[in-house]
């Protein structure tokens, strides 16, 4: 059954507005301030009815991403949003009245390049007759960012423009269903700094059988190491991401299984709300060591998935 959207019938704060439901979007990175306009540059809104059938799709950019106003008949709805969609794409056609939420996927397979910095949310809400409704929705980090440094104990890498970092076995498909819902405080330096109370984070379900390989250019640093960045879909505890360094077609660092590293460090990637890691690989002969140098903007490594 396809729901028909109604005309304006309600007042909001004693003023006439053409909606009975307002969705307010927030994004907290490392403090209590709402930084949604700093990091969410575009938004795709997908509204589903109680039967999980798509009703409408809208895209917006700029300041409009912070709010979504709707005039809806009474009933239950789910709003799914993706922020910063550019290279990633929906694997299925978005057809209102036909497309189902459980059959819809976001895909980045076959690309091989870094993805955009995605943010996701899913909120189910109820519209009651004659009532006005406000939902405050937190966008959840739905990308993994790796700042990689590779250095040698007894070797100075040649200056070249053909350095490449490769990461294999990277998740490349999201469902539009919620894989995990976490209620937690904003990621502040101390919990006492949180004045907004707990937020509800929704992490999209990752399809572990859909994997891709990512390649990113690496660069020489004047201090004698090579560095580069990966930006991918989120990783899970089952991800066996293999990282290696190449110069042209010659491998300069053997593949390192970061799953072993995250397991040793007790980092729970299933629950980790912000997958941003600075990793330093140190090559000494045939051995490679890995250390977590810091997590951007967090103190003492932050909460890495309690």
């Amino acid at each position: 059954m396809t729901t028909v959207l109604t005309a304006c019938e309600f007042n909001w704060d004693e003023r006439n507005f053409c909606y009975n439901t307002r969705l307010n979007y927030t994004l907290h990175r490392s403090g209590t301030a709402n930084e949604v306009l700093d990091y969410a540059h575009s938004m795709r809104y997908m509204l589903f009815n109680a039967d999980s059938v798509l009703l409408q799709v809208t895209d917006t950019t700029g300041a409009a991403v912070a709010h979504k106003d709707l005039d809806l008949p009474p009933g239950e709805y789910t709003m799914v949003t993706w922020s910063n969609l550019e290279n990633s794409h929906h694997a299925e056609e978005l057809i209102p009245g036909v497309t189902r939420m459980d059959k819809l996927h976001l895909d980045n397979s076959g690309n091989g390049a870094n993805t955009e910095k995605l943010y996701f949310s899913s909120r189910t809400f109820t519209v009651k007759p004659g009532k006005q409704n406000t939902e405050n929705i937190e966008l959840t980090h739905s990308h993994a960012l790796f700042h990689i440094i590779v250095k040698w104990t007894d070797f100075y890498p040649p200056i070249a423009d053909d350095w490449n970092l490769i990461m294999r076995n990277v998740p490349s498909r999201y469902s539009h269903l919620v894989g995990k819902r976490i209620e937690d405080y904003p990621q502040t330096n101390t919990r006492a700094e949180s004045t907004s109370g707990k937020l509800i984070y929704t992490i999209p379900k990752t399809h572990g059988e859909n994997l891709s390989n990512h390649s990113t250019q690496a660069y020489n640093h004047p201090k004698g190491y090579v560095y580069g960045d990966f930006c991918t879909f989120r990783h899970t505890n089952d991800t066996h991401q293999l990282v290696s360094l190449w110069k042209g077609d010659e491998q300069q660092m053997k593949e390192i299984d970061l799953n072993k590293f995250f397991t040793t460090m007790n980092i729970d990637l299933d629950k980790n709300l912000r997958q941003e890691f600075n990793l330093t690989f140190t090559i000494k002969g045939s051995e490679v060591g890995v250390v977590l140098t810091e997590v951007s903007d967090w103190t003492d490594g932050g909460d890495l998935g309690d």
Side-chain angles (χ1 to χ4, degrees):
M1 180 182 71
T2 300
T3 303
V4 179
L5 305 186
T6 64
C8 307
E9 300 175 351
F10 299 91
N11 294 320
W12 192 285
D13 295 337
E14 300 180 349
R15 296 167 294 175
N16 286 323
F17 282 86
C18 195
Y19 55 84
N20 59 11
T21 299
R22 163 162 283 196
L23 309 180
N24 296 319
Y25 287 89
T26 59
L27 197 163
H28 297 82
R29 282 177 55 86
S30 58
T32 57
N34 180 11
E35 299 178 275
V36 65
L37 296 182
D38 294 324
Y39 294 95
H41 307 301
S42 65
M43 195 88 83
R44 172 165 293 174
Y45 305 93
M46 291 170 287
L47 182 68
F48 297 85
N49 64 16
D51 297 321
S52 298
V53 176
L54 181 68
L55 294 179
Q56 62 173 239
V57 181
T58 55
D59 294 284
T60 191
T61 59
V65 304
H67 308 284
K68 179 63 175 175
D69 298 331
L70 299 162
D71 186 49
L72 300 170
E76 182 178 282
Y77 302 89
T78 297
M79 179 66 84
V80 175
T81 59
W82 288 101
S83 180
N84 299 337
L85 286 177
E86 293 179 7
N87 299 322
S88 302
H89 62 276
H90 288 97
E92 298 80 18
E93 189 175 359
L94 301 175
I95 306 175
V98 176
T99 304
R100 294 186 53 83
M101 187 193 311
D102 58 349
K103 301 297 183 181
L104 194 56
H105 303 90
L106 194 71
D107 193 34
N108 193 44
S109 60
N111 189 343
N114 283 343
T115 187
E116 53 273 71
K117 294 180 180 179
L118 297 171
Y119 298 90
F120 171 83
S121 72
S122 178
R123 173 64 60 87
T124 299
F125 58 94
T126 301
V127 175
K128 297 181 179 180
K131 300 293 184 180
Q132 298 160 339
N133 184 43
T134 300
E135 299 287 334
N136 297 316
I137 303 172
E138 178 74 4
L139 295 175
T140 302
H141 286 69
S142 297
H143 60 274
L145 185 61
F146 295 84
H147 303 290
I148 304 291
I149 288 176
V150 180
K151 61 183 182 179
W152 292 258
T153 59
D154 55 359
F155 174 72
Y156 196 95
I159 305 298
D161 58 5
D162 59 349
W163 291 101
N164 283 282
L165 284 160
I166 294 177
M167 182 181 288
R168 297 199 299 119
N169 301 338
V170 179
S172 60
R173 174 167 282 199
Y174 281 132
S175 166
H176 283 54
L177 302 176
V178 175
K180 190 172 291 292
R181 183 174 278 103
I182 298 175
E183 187 175 354
D184 202 356
Y185 292 96
Q187 301 295 327
T188 55
N189 289 337
T190 65
R191 293 294 171 88
E193 292 181 14
S194 178
T195 58
S196 58
K198 288 187 175 182
L199 301 171
I200 298 175
Y201 299 89
T202 50
I203 298 174
K205 183 178 180 181
T206 300
H207 285 260
E209 68 275 12
N210 294 92
L211 303 175
S212 64
N213 300 330
H214 282 246
S215 177
T216 186
Q217 186 171 359
Y219 304 91
N220 290 92
H221 191 276
K223 291 186 177 180
Y225 58 79
V226 174
Y227 67 96
D229 294 337
F230 287 108
C231 190
T232 72
F233 282 8
R234 285 182 58 93
H235 296 222
T236 71
N237 289 337
D238 294 327
T239 303
H240 282 270
Q241 54 283 86
L242 302 173
V243 177
S244 59
L245 175 69
W246 295 71
K247 183 180 179 300
D249 57 0
E250 296 183 0
Q251 189 169 353
Q252 303 294 314
M253 182 183 77
K254 66 181 182 181
E255 283 192 324
I256 303 299
D257 187 349
L258 287 184
N259 180 275
K260 297 179 180 179
F261 171 77
F262 288 124
T263 300
T264 301
M265 295 291 292
N266 293 318
I267 298 175
D268 189 342
L269 293 177
D270 288 346
K271 296 181 180 179
N272 186 281
L273 292 175
R274 184 175 164 194
Q275 294 186 354
E276 298 186 2
F277 305 106
N278 287 0
L279 300 175
T280 297
F281 297 77
T282 301
I283 301 174
K284 183 177 182 180
S286 61
E287 301 298 319
V288 180
V290 187
V291 295
L292 181 67
T293 51
E294 68 178 72
V295 179
S296 302
D297 299 330
W298 293 32
T299 300
D300 297 329
D303 292 333
L304 296 173
D306 294 335

